[in-house]
Amino acid sequence: MPFKFEQLDVWQLSLDYSDQIYEVAEKLPESERFNLKSQITRAATSISLNIAEGSTGQSDPEQNRFLGMAVRSLIETVACQRLISRRKYITDKTLMEQLDLKAQELAKRLHAFRKSLVNSKKSISEEQAFYETDEH
């Protein structure tokens, strides 16, 4: 049985984007191994991890918070893309444009998901658990 987050289109899209980021990161010079390469791959990974963590049956506001972190991680990857292009580490304009389009699509989907949570009247939270205590 798949986890809830695995059924989310936005999570699947984040995986595709992350795969592309890793491909770009592999093309970076060795001198950027501990800087841009590390930064962009960690940020890309954080997108899908935050989507997954936010889907654990918490309240809509809590899921929205995690989606906000995913958006911030996405913006971080885009900023890294700009640095990579500016420094001419990757000169394949088609590759970088495709990456931008994927980032824009992911941003739209994340924002739409967040908006649907804000406008939702139902709660996706789990029932609160009650535990017996020794107190009477």
Side-chain angles (χ1 to χ4, degrees), residues 30-64:
E30 181 63 24
S31 62
E32 288 295 341
R33 187 169 103 198
F34 299 111
N35 191 23
L36 273 174
K37 182 177 182 179
S38 174
Q39 192 72 29
I40 198 170
T41 56
R42 285 183 292 117
T45 301
S46 182
I47 298 166
S48 57
L49 294 178
N50 277 301
I51 294 168
E53 190 171 355
S55 74
T56 61
Q58 301 173 37
S59 66
D60 284 357
E62 188 67 5
Q63 186 171 20
N64 193 11

Side-chain angles (χ1 to χ4, degrees), residues 84-101:
I84 290 166
S85 293
R86 183 181 178 100
R87 294 190 176 120
K88 297 181 175 50
Y89 289 146
I90 296 177
T91 56
D92 183 343
K93 286 189 178 208
T94 302
L95 173 64
M96 298 307 281
E97 286 172 2
Q98 289 173 346
L99 202 54
D100 269 358
L101 290 174

Side-chain angles (χ1 to χ4, degrees), residues 49-81:
L49 294 178
N50 277 301
I51 294 168
E53 190 171 355
S55 74
T56 61
Q58 301 173 37
S59 66
D60 284 357
E62 188 67 5
Q63 186 171 20
N64 193 11
R65 186 175 76 82
F66 278 97
L67 291 172
M69 288 187 272
V71 169
R72 288 191 290 278
S73 293
L74 173 61
I75 297 305
E76 186 176 347
T77 65
V78 171
C80 288
Q81 288 169 226

Side-chain angles (χ1 to χ4, degrees), residues 8-15 51 67 106 109-110 113:
L8 297 172
D9 289 339
V10 71
W11 187 74
Q12 295 294 333
L13 185 61
S14 75
L15 292 181
I51 294 168
L67 291 172
L106 185 52
R109 298 271 187 100
L110 285 166
F113 192 4

